[in-house]
Amino acid sequence: MYLALREIRFAKTRYVMIVMIMLLISFLVLFVTGLAKGLAYANASSVKNMAASHFILQKDSDHRFGRSQITEEALTTARTVVGDDKATTLNLRMATVTEKGLSLKSDVTLFAMDMASWLAPPTVEGQTITNDTQDQVLVDRKLKEAGIKVGSVLVDQMTGASWTVSGFVANESYSHTPSVFMNEKDWLQLQSFTPVKGQNASDKSYNAIALKATGEQLAQLRTELADTDIISKSDTVSAVPGYKEEQGSLLMMIAFLYVISAMVLAVFFFVITIQKTSQFGILKAIGAKTGYLARNVVGQVLLLSIGSLAVSLGLIRVVYSVLPASMPFQLDSSTVLLSCSLFIVTAVLGSLLSVYKVSRTDALDAIGRTAA
């Protein structure tokens, strides 16, 4: 590292420009990664937050809740296998609601469940609801931006059903729409307005059954409920409308950023290495080993990469503090560690072209060029 540090101190302007480029690239990589994670969470946070390990869905429903119908018999079988307290029902539907007396419309996802079960979300403001309350719901705090508050009355545009907002929950959304939670009694009342085709409104059916199950229990359930799909929570998240398409596009952008950063860094350091060919030749002539010179080149890249990442993380914190609450941005420590590690590996791989050039430098040729 001696040569690397001496050279950086000697050619300050050159390396400041390189650091600025690396800083911008690393900042962009981290920012886009944070947006990708934030969008992923905002798209399916209601499912991700559930304590379930697996879900039972109707076969050929493409793993989507809205396309699934599960019977009461399947629920009985599931509870027999995993236990009454480890299997609970889940219903959902997309809806458009307005606040009573106002014309502003909000797209939401209605969730219905046993409010005494482990599936129910915690209330962060206002009063929670129980299985006995009537015409009351919990809503995500994002609806506050639309003017909804505790005590507001929401009206379903399709059916005319109305519910009073009892409290708020945090970070609960589905397919980028705020989630609204109600008990099963209000759900059955809602279904009486819009019964499923070919089914009486009084018939009990569910979109899904949420499970807490072990491997052996899952194997038994797959045998006994062969006409259903039993899938993991991660598979359910991936099936949320638009989730895979959105994440696929963002991940492709991030991958291209890594490729571009590797190419840019490789070109910059290769040009610098070419400019220093004569110096490397002289060092080789006086006894410097190729491995020593290569380690200094790689060490220089590592030093600049780590420095630019450190500054980028500081900038990310500053930008995150001023971002509006409505912007989905999430960058946890594990993601930061992975992104930084990938960036450093990419930078080192980009420096290998320079290492190859150093290894191919001939001392006599370099000295001859210097003399000429």
Side-chain angles (χ1 to χ4, degrees), residues 121-136:
T123 305
V124 296
E125 183 180 342
Q127 299 294 321
T128 190
I129 62 176
T130 68
N131 290 327
D132 297 322
T133 55
Q134 188 170 359
D135 299 331
Q136 294 189 24

Side-chain angles (χ1 to χ4, degrees), residues 80-101:
T80 301
V81 174
V82 302
D84 290 345
D85 59 336
K86 298 295 179 65
T88 186
T89 59
L90 175 66
N91 289 289
L92 70 79
R93 60 177 283 189
M94 311 295 287
T96 300
V97 298
T98 60
E99 186 177 2
K100 190 173 183 178

Side-chain angles (χ1 to χ4, degrees), residues 35-76:
L35 283 178
K37 294 283 289 184
L39 285 168
Y41 187 70
N43 200 357
S45 59
S46 287
V47 180
K48 290 185 176 183
N49 293 341
M50 291 178 182
S53 63
H54 291 77
F55 294 90
I56 301 176
L57 299 176
Q58 184 180 3
K59 190 174 284 293
D60 300 325
S61 63
D62 294 330
H63 298 178
R64 294 190 179 184
F65 290 139
R67 298 177 180 178
S68 171
Q69 288 293 321
I70 299 295
T71 63
E72 184 77 17
E73 290 76 11
L75 174 62
T76 302

Side-chain angles (χ1 to χ4, degrees), residues 156-189:
D156 180 30
Q157 184 181 22
M158 181 185 297
T159 64
S162 62
W163 312 282
T164 301
V165 176
S166 177
F168 288 96
V169 293
N171 300 320
E172 296 287 348
S173 57
Y174 183 87
S175 195
H176 291 299
T177 61
S179 298
V180 174
F181 296 88
M182 63 179 62
N183 59 31
E184 293 179 329
K185 182 168 62 176
D186 285 335
W187 176 262
L188 289 175
Q189 180 65 27

Side-chain angles (χ1 to χ4, degrees), residues 238-311:
S238 297
V240 172
Y243 183 90
K244 287 194 295 186
E245 294 79 5
E246 178 182 86
Q247 289 301 298
S249 300
L250 290 169
L251 289 175
M252 185 176 294
M253 289 174 57
I254 294 171
F256 273 113
L257 283 175
Y258 281 115
V259 173
I260 291 169
S261 64
M263 294 179 64
V264 169
L265 295 176
V267 170
F268 266 94
F269 282 102
F270 186 69
V271 171
I272 291 173
T273 303
I274 291 176
Q275 294 174 343
K276 299 185 297 183
T277 300
S278 58
Q279 289 95 318
F280 284 128
I282 293 171
L283 288 170
K284 281 190 173 184
I286 63 176
K289 301 294 184 182
T290 299
Y292 174 76
L293 298 177
R295 286 195 299 273
N296 275 276
V297 171
V298 175
Q300 195 173 71
V301 173
L302 280 173
L303 184 64
L304 296 176
S305 299
I306 293 171
S308 63
L309 282 171
V311 178

